[in-house]
Amino acid sequence: MPAKAEAEAAWELYTELISRVSVVPLPPDQGLLRDALTSLYSLFDTTRGILRKYGPDLAPRHRQDDITFGRVAFGVLNTALRLFMTKWHPELKDWEFGRPAGVGPLAHERAWARAGELRAELEEVRVALLELAKLLADVANVAYFFPEPPTPPDPENRRGGG
């Protein structure tokens, strides 16, 4: 049974995860990869802040072989996110550095030959973060809300004059 500190920390991280662009599918013709990477990067500070706030109660020694909030949080940061970010942050930054004058960030990013590869790996991270969000919702004892992307209106069902 999770301790009160674990449940509260899980709620805090759950709300951070579930409200980010990085957990919503990013279709090839929408959004900026830079924004998704920035959102993921900010999870490091957010998670560290939660770990500092609740302290050792998130990974008590008597539960060192159990799954605890601390173990899960450090695992996500130091494996999935760190590996992804250390690969893609410098790659995208190099591409951005070469943006010609007069070309906007969106057009330049979409012209990048590796954009599809990054988007595919971003999708893998997104799925992993959604699994983490489900686990956090369970620990926090709250309902899981999947962030559904907005659906464009169906042109045949529109009302209006014309």
Side-chain angles (χ1 to χ4, degrees):
M1 182 83 179
K4 183 175 191 267
E6 281 187 290
E8 290 174 3
W11 169 251
E12 286 188 34
L13 188 54
Y14 169 74
T15 59
E16 287 292 326
L17 284 177
I18 213 72
S19 63
R20 290 180 182 272
V21 68
S22 53
V23 296
V24 178
L26 190 61
D29 60 337
Q30 294 179 10
L32 282 169
L33 293 168
R34 170 54 58 208
D35 291 344
L37 290 185
T38 300
S39 179
L40 287 174
Y41 183 74
S42 71
L43 283 174
F44 284 91
D45 282 341
T46 299
T47 305
R48 285 184 199 117
I50 292 169
L51 289 164
R52 279 190 300 274
K53 178 179 176 181
Y54 294 99
D57 288 343
L58 299 181
R61 181 176 291 186
H62 70 276
R63 291 185 52 209
Q64 68 187 17
D65 294 329
D66 294 344
I67 294 175
T68 62
F69 180 92
R71 176 175 277 185
V72 170
F74 286 124
V76 168
L77 290 182
N78 290 325
T79 55
L81 284 181
R82 187 171 312 281
L83 294 173
F84 176 81
M85 293 300 293
T86 57
K87 175 182 179 181
W88 286 109
H89 179 73
E91 293 284 336
L92 182 56
K93 195 159 196 75
D94 277 352
W95 176 254
E96 291 168 334
F97 185 74
R99 181 167 58 103
V103 176
L106 180 62
H108 185 64
E109 191 178 275
R110 290 199 177 148
W112 188 31
R114 298 197 67 196
E117 186 182 349
L118 172 51
R119 284 178 184 270
E121 288 191 34
L122 186 61
E123 176 62 14
E124 292 173 17
V125 169
R126 183 188 77 80
V127 170
L129 289 177
L130 286 175
E131 289 302 314
L132 174 60
K134 287 177 190 174
L135 175 65
L136 292 170
D138 285 344
V139 171
N141 197 29
V142 297
Y144 173 71
F145 298 105
F146 177 75
E148 292 289 339
T151 320
D154 182 357
E156 297 203 13
N157 291 332
R158 280 193 218 168
R159 295 181 180 213

